[in-house]
Amino acid sequence: MTFEPLSRPEITTNVTRGAARLLSHLGYVALSEVTLPNGRRADLMALSKKGELLIVEVKSSVEDYRVDRKWPEYAPYCDRFTFAVAPEFPQDLLPEGPGLMVCDGFGGAVLRESPIGPLAGARRKALLIGFARLAALRSAGIVALELDA
């Protein structure tokens, strides 16, 4: 029996699903495809029990990493930032500063904790309200992508 390699969209879906499951196991709740106030879209934005905001950038391939350099623009909107990649991704390509998760469609593991860079109080409040409103809209079946923070 032979298996065909997964396409980039399939890898992205699997890594995103596994990262969300891992985050849930770690006590976070996550939303996918969140458009931030600066117009950038986070693959996952998660909220911890302590109120910390984490943004996860999923990288499905080396090409995806090399052409997409927007991830530094997420820092003003989270306490922590991490990459999530598939097990076969060459991890040595990623910078050492952010956190690192390796995930598949079933879960994952944190290989490197992301450092904390606390948000200012006013920005945290606006983002938390935006996160809660976005989650509520989605739970009501309303298609929403943007934080109204």
Side-chain angles (χ1 to χ4, degrees):
M1 178 182 277
T2 61
F3 294 97
E4 291 192 30
L6 296 175
S7 67
R8 265 184 62 185
E10 290 170 322
I11 293 169
T12 300
T13 297
N14 285 345
V15 172
T16 302
R17 182 184 311 119
R21 288 178 175 177
L22 173 59
L23 290 169
S24 178
H25 177 73
L26 296 173
Y28 287 83
V29 293
L31 295 173
S32 63
E33 304 290 325
V34 176
T35 302
L36 302 170
N38 66 356
R40 296 296 185 193
R41 184 189 41 78
D43 294 320
L44 286 171
M45 187 172 200
L47 178 63
S48 76
K49 291 178 183 179
K50 294 179 181 178
E52 291 179 346
L53 289 164
L54 168 74
I55 291 180
V56 178
E57 176 71 0
V58 174
K59 289 296 159 206
S60 60
S61 69
V62 172
E63 179 186 12
D64 178 26
Y65 174 70
R66 288 192 173 142
V67 300
D68 183 1
R69 295 299 193 164
K70 68 183 184 299
W71 59 268
E73 296 176 43
Y74 296 147
Y77 304 100
C78 61
D79 297 294
R80 297 176 182 271
F81 174 82
T82 190
F83 286 105
V85 297
E88 57 275 0
F89 188 94
Q91 299 162 20
D92 58 329
L93 290 179
L94 298 171
E96 291 187 21
L100 176 60
M101 293 187 248
V102 174
C103 304
D104 60 19
F106 302 99
V110 174
L111 298 189
R112 183 174 58 237
E113 284 288 333
S114 57
I116 190 161
L119 289 165
R123 176 158 288 179
R124 174 181 310 287
K125 180 180 177 182
L127 289 168
L128 290 174
I129 291 169
F131 187 93
R133 290 179 50 80
L134 183 60
L137 287 168
R138 289 184 182 181
S139 73
I142 299 169
V143 177
L145 298 175
E146 194 169 325
L147 287 177
D148 57 359

